[in-house]
Amino acid sequence: MNITSFALFGAKPTFDKPLPIGQLYFPSSERYEAKFRGIFERQYYNNNGPLHEELEEKLQQFLGVKHAICVSNATLGLMMLADAMELTGKVILPAFTFAASAHSVTWAGLEPVFCDINLDTHQIDINAIDALIDKDVSAIMGVNLWGGACNPKALAEVAAARGVKLYFDSAHAFGCTVDGTSIGNFGCAEVFSFHATKILSATEGGCICTNDDDLAVRLRSIRPSYSLDHPVSIVRVANARMSEAQAAIALMSLEDFPENQKNNETLYHLYAGKLNAISGLRLIRPAGVSFSNYQYLVCQVDEREFGLSRDMLIDILKAENVIARRYFYPGLHRCLPYAQELPQYLDSLPNTDSLCSSCIQLPIGALVSAQSVEHICDIIARTHQYAAEIRSRHEK
Ligand SMILES: Cc1ncc(COP(=O)(O)O)c(C=O)c1O
C-alpha cells in the first residue's frame, strides 16, 4: 500500500456517497404518515395544537423542568430570552460557539463580551469570567458544547457573587445531566435546538426551559406575535410558534431518544478505541456531565505529532466522502460584524484561536454504522502513517 490508495491521489473513495457529520434523525415513513394523518384529520396545524401541547408536557416530564416552551428554532429562543430576561448593556459568552449565540445578543440590542475557553474541555473558561464583569454586564450566557456542560453550578456561583443573571445556550445538550440533574434546569433559563442535525429533531425547532413562572409567562407572551388574553409587559413580540408538523416529528424523536443516545455512545467508544491509539489526535470527552447524548464527535489534531495539519486531514477525509468539518471556525471574534466592531477581542482569545485551528468533527449519529466508524478510523490511521509523503506530494 502507498499514498495512491487515498482518494485525494486518485483512488476510488472509501464511501460511495457523502457521509455528513450530522445526526439526520428522521422517523420511518410509516410512523411519519400515521402521525401526520392525525394532523390532517383534526385540521389543526398551528397555534398551541394538541401535538404541540403534548410535546411541551412530555418535555417537562422528561427534563423535570416546570416550563418547556417550544419555539420554531433555538436562535429565536435565545433572542426572545434576552428580551424576556430584560437584559441590558453587555452579555459575556464564549467566541467558540455557533454564530446564533452571539447574534441573539446583538439582535436584542446588547453587546457580546467574548470570553476565552478551557482548552481541555472546550467550554467557557470560568476563571476568565470575573475579570470581564463590569457595571455594564447584565448576564453570562453559558454555552453547553458537544453534549457536555460548562460547569453550570460554578457559573451560578460567579453570577450570584457578581450580581449578574445567568442563562444557557444548550443547543447541543438535550438529554444530558449534571450530577443527575437534567440540563434545562440551570440558570434563569436554557435553550435547546431541535434542528435536523440534533439528537432531538423537529427538522427545525427548539425549546426554552425555565423553572421561573414569571419568566415563562413573559416568554409565552412574546412567542405568538399576537396578543394573549392576559397581556404582560414585554419589550416586543416575535413569531416563534412551533407548528404541529414540527411537534409531530419532535414527539417521535423524543420516543427514539434512548435508542439514538445509546447508538451515539457505542459509536463514541468505538472511535475512542481506535483514535486514541493514533499519535497527535485527542478525542474530546463530553465535559462535566453525568450523562451525555454524545451528539458530536470532536477531536483535536496536534499537527506536529500527527504529521499533518487539521485542514489537510479534512481534505483527505472529504476526498473519501467523509464530510468532516472544522466546526467552529473561525471564532466569532474573527467573524463579521464582531471582528470590525469589537476588534479588542482579536488578540485576547488565544485558546479559542488555537482550538479553531486544530478542532475537527467526524460523523456520528443515527445514520452512521459501526463499520463506517472502522473505515473512518482506518483512513485517519493511514493518513498518519503516510503523513510525510502526503505532505510532500500536496506541497508540489
Ligand atoms: C451552540 C448553538 N447555539 C445555537 C444554535 C442555533 O440553533 P437553531 O438552528 O435551532 O436556531 C446552534 C445550531 O447548531 C448551535 O450549535
Side-chain angles (χ1 to χ4, degrees):
M1 189 175 283
N2 57 40
I3 65 165
T4 57
S5 66
F6 289 94
L8 192 66
F9 303 117
K12 187 173 170 294
T14 307
F15 293 92
D16 293 337
K17 284 193 299 198
L19 187 63
I21 55 162
Q23 176 90 17
L24 299 183
Y25 164 86
F26 215 73
S28 69
S29 52
E30 292 78 17
R31 284 170 77 206
Y32 178 81
E33 276 172 29
K35 201 85 172 166
F36 271 62
R37 207 166 296 124
I39 299 178
F40 288 109
E41 281 163 10
R42 285 187 295 276
Q43 298 207 357
Y44 199 144
Y45 302 105
N46 209 337
N47 294 4
N48 305 331
L51 296 180
H52 174 273
E53 298 296 277
E54 184 185 339
L55 178 62
E56 290 198 343
E57 186 70 40
K58 288 205 164 137
L59 288 170
Q60 283 159 198
Q61 279 169 17
F62 183 88
L63 298 166
V65 71
K66 262 177 116 174
H67 305 280
I69 298 161
C70 287
V71 286
S72 42
N73 58 60
T75 305
L76 271 165
L78 288 165
M79 286 159 59
M80 287 166 57
L81 194 50
D83 268 8
M85 288 171 64
E86 301 181 298
L87 303 184
T88 56
K90 299 179 183 174
V91 175
I92 295 175
L93 75 158
F96 189 68
T97 177
F98 188 67
S101 315
H103 292 346
S104 69
V105 169
T106 49
W107 261 95
L110 309 166
E111 184 179 311
V113 174
F114 290 123
C115 183
D116 214 355
I117 43 149
N118 177 305
L119 266 184
D120 285 333
T121 63
H122 294 191
Q123 313 286 341
I124 195 166
D125 180 0
I126 299 214
N127 299 323
I129 292 178
D130 210 50
L132 297 174
I133 299 179
D134 64 21
K135 63 176 181 24
D136 295 326
V137 169
S138 63
I140 301 167
M141 179 202 293
V143 181
N144 290 310
L145 280 188
W146 311 148
C150 56
N151 203 342
K153 291 181 181 172
L155 276 179
E157 281 173 24
V158 175
R162 298 298 303 267
V164 298
K165 293 179 180 173
L166 173 66
Y167 68 113
F168 293 91
D169 175 344
S170 298
H172 294 187
F174 184 82
C176 304
T177 64
V178 174
D179 298 332
T181 300
S182 288
I183 289 188
N185 285 276
F186 295 96
C188 297
E190 305 203 42
V191 181
F192 295 113
S193 169
F194 298 161
H195 180 255
T197 55
K198 303 295 188 284
I199 191 160
L200 195 122
S201 164
T203 64
E204 283 281 0
C207 172
I208 312 170
C209 290
T210 182
N211 288 308
D212 177 333
D213 295 339
D214 290 339
L215 186 59
V217 172
R218 296 168 66 74
L219 287 164
R220 290 188 195 281
S221 305
I222 293 173
R223 177 176 59 179
S225 83
Y226 53 82
S227 301
L228 292 184
D229 292 346
H230 307 290
V232 293
S233 156
I234 49 174
V235 181
R236 56 192 158 188
V237 292
N239 177 358
R241 300 185 295 261
M242 178 183 270
S243 72
E244 286 291 273
Q246 289 169 294
I249 293 167
L251 278 165
M252 290 184 269
S253 184
L254 186 60
E255 250 170 60
D256 294 345
F257 175 84
E259 189 185 326
N260 286 330
Q261 185 281 338
K262 214 170 181 35
N263 183 52
N264 280 355
E265 187 166 357
T266 304
L267 295 179
Y268 172 88
H269 289 297
L270 207 54
Y271 268 118
K274 303 266 175 196
L275 295 181
N276 287 336
I278 303 172
S279 138
L281 274 194
R282 186 167 85 84
L283 180 63
I284 303 305
R285 262 174 93 91
V289 283
S290 38
F291 185 81
S292 176
N293 57 26
Y294 292 96
Q295 185 172 281
Y296 292 93
L297 202 292
V298 184
C299 289
Q300 258 172 274
V301 181
D302 178 327
E303 183 170 345
R304 275 204 7 217
E305 270 187 54
F306 184 70
L308 281 178
S309 68
R310 181 271 315 264
D311 290 351
M312 268 298 307
L313 176 58
I314 287 183
D315 287 347
I316 297 270
L317 287 165
K318 279 194 173 154
E320 306 289 348
N321 265 332
V322 179
I323 312 303
R325 289 187 58 193
R326 47 184 196 174
Y327 189 61
F328 305 104
Y329 177 89
L332 292 185
H333 61 308
R334 298 195 177 278
C335 297
L336 292 175
Y338 311 110
Q340 240 163 33
E341 291 178 12
L342 303 170
Q344 66 268 35
Y345 298 109
L346 289 174
D347 293 322
S348 69
L349 305 172
N351 290 352
T352 302
D353 285 330
S354 148
L355 200 51
C356 287
S357 64
S358 62
C359 197
I360 179 173
Q361 268 198 59
L362 298 172
I364 192 163
L367 292 186
V368 180
S369 67
Q371 198 191 26
S372 299
V373 171
E374 302 261 353
H375 288 321
I376 293 166
C377 294
D378 179 53
I379 298 167
I380 297 174
R382 278 193 294 123
T383 305
H384 173 57
Q385 191 185 348
Y386 291 100
E389 275 182 71
I390 293 172
R391 213 176 43 240
S392 71
R393 171 105 172 228
H394 208 58
E395 278 164 3
K396 275 183 196 158

